Amino acid sequence: GLKALINGCKHLTTLKLADAYGLNDAALTQISEHCHKLRYLTLDYNQRFTDTGIIALASRCNNLQHVDISGCKNLTDSVLKALAKYCTLLTDLNIASCVKITDQGLKALHNCVLLVSLNLFGCREITDAGLIFLAPYLKQLTTIRLSQCNKLTDKSLRSLAVNCNGIKEFNINMHSGITRGGLFHLEKNLPHITSFFVDCGNFMSLE
């Protein structure tokens, strides 16, 4: 079983448990007790994982650099606060569709100054307040995904343009708070941009 596996893999650096529906927080706690050298962790789309399990991992696996907890919809801001506190080497964070994440969690990430990639797709509760606060700390950022974050406006785009001009890949969808002017300003001020994806969907106006 899992316990036997992790007992024999104490030097494990990469663990992918995507769609592992049979696992829960107890399994994550076991992993945290034995796999302290983890650097790459993928736990996406498991509704049985809660803050308890992820916080146990974050507090004991301080070398984590890549964390993918996308689609784990029961996770809250407490998870981001724990990652920011214990995992300061974090470079790649995917919290897409973690729908309970708010500005408070996002603000906690100011301690993760090495972040290169941040996926916030579908984090529908975050607003300009959270992203504008965080942006000045993301000097290393090259990739950000903001599609389906429909509470964001052009103010967030301007903040990213000013503070994160190393961005190479950018993803967003059109909605009432995002205008053509905001997108133009962002693209104009990102000299290294190589991928600029805007999903217009059924949103017809680009005024």
Side-chain angles (χ1 to χ4, degrees), residues 10 14 24 40-41 55 72 117 169 173 181 194:
K10 294 184 178 180
T14 301
N24 56 21
Y40 301 92
L41 180 67
I55 290 172
C72 296
S117 177
E169 298 181 30
N173 67 293
T194 58

Side-chain angles (χ1 to χ4, degrees), residues 85-99:
K85 180 179 180 180
Y86 299 112
C87 304
T88 56
L89 299 178
L90 202 62
T91 60
D92 188 338
L93 178 61
N94 186 347
I95 53 172
S97 300
C98 290
V99 295

